[in-house]
Amino acid sequence: MNIPVKDPYFFGYGSLVNARTHDYENVQAAKLKGWRRAWRASPLRAVCYLTAVPCAQSEIDGLIASVPGADWDALDHRERAYARVPLAGEVTHQAGDVEVAVYAISEGAHSEPTAENPVLLSYLDVVVQGYLHMFGRAGVDRFFATTDGWHAPIQNDRNAPIYPRAQSLTTAERALVDDWLASLPAETKQRL
């Protein structure tokens, strides 16, 4: 008797929350306990990206989606600056008993942001749009509150996006991102 094998899932906490940036199915809201998001620099990329970092007191919103046939190749390529980390009971979701992995930059392979590696505004726009669509305004608020590294400079590339999965935002979505950035304390932000 062949027992069907369940597809594994990934936990997305950044651009993967925006379902417009991928074709993975069985997307649903989830929470990851014991981790936070952080803007980090890596020698593998010229700009800052989000990563998940262990933090026992934290919990972050995100989504899970299935990886059909456990064919991780395309997602591993997309997330090539990260290591795929298997998770155990840290993820709360409604998918039943499935394996879940998160992509995170390996410890020691990232550092604090500097002026030389800004956050692309087009990337932040994609992330915020995903949180808004998945979790509403409260989810966007939680995203900003549970993410470290807001002292990273922000490079405004909206008119000519550098981020390869940039999305069109509505006027209201752009205003939401801009309002949040404007609300950050001056000592924690830089604009390029």
Side-chain angles (χ1 to χ4, degrees):
M1 175 175 158
N2 288 342
I3 299 173
V5 176
K6 292 182 181 178
D7 289 333
Y9 282 65
F10 66 83
F11 178 87
Y13 55 85
S15 64
L16 286 168
V17 172
N18 192 327
R20 296 176 185 181
T21 71
H22 60 80
D23 295 325
Y24 293 95
E25 298 178 353
N26 304 317
V27 172
Q28 61 178 272
K31 290 190 179 289
L32 178 59
K33 294 177 186 168
W35 296 75
R36 278 183 75 80
R37 273 178 303 275
W39 292 108
R40 302 297 284 170
S42 168
L44 301 173
R45 295 201 168 145
V47 296
C48 279
Y49 276 77
L50 288 170
T51 192
V53 292
C55 179
Q57 304 84 356
S58 293
E59 178 178 79
I60 56 176
D61 293 331
L63 65 72
I64 61 169
S66 62
V67 181
D71 183 2
W72 290 96
D73 290 347
L75 195 54
D76 285 349
H77 179 72
R78 171 183 167 149
E79 303 297 320
R80 62 191 168 276
Y82 301 88
R84 183 170 17 108
V85 179
L87 299 169
E90 303 100 327
V91 184
T92 304
H93 57 80
Q94 300 298 315
D97 184 22
V98 295
E99 293 179 22
V100 181
V102 66
Y103 286 91
I105 302 173
S106 299
E107 189 174 336
H110 58 84
S111 59
E112 288 288 328
T114 67
E116 287 75 41
N117 35 45
V119 171
L120 296 175
L121 186 55
S122 60
Y123 175 56
L124 178 59
D125 285 345
V126 164
V127 175
V128 172
Q129 183 184 58
Y131 274 91
L132 183 62
H133 290 202
M134 180 66 71
F135 298 101
R137 174 61 195 256
V140 172
D141 296 346
R142 287 190 304 273
F143 163 76
F144 276 90
T146 59
T147 302
D148 296 328
W150 290 111
H151 60 282
I154 308 292
Q155 180 176 335
N156 187 346
D157 65 331
R158 273 189 183 146
N159 292 332
I162 297 168
Y163 183 61
R165 286 173 286 284
Q167 300 292 309
S168 294
L169 272 66
T170 66
T171 301
E173 289 170 337
R174 282 191 304 275
L176 178 61
V177 175
D178 293 344
D179 289 349
W180 255 108
L181 290 175
S183 75
L184 295 172
E187 64 273 7
T188 66
K189 66 179 176 181
Q190 300 177 39
R191 296 295 296 250
L192 294 181

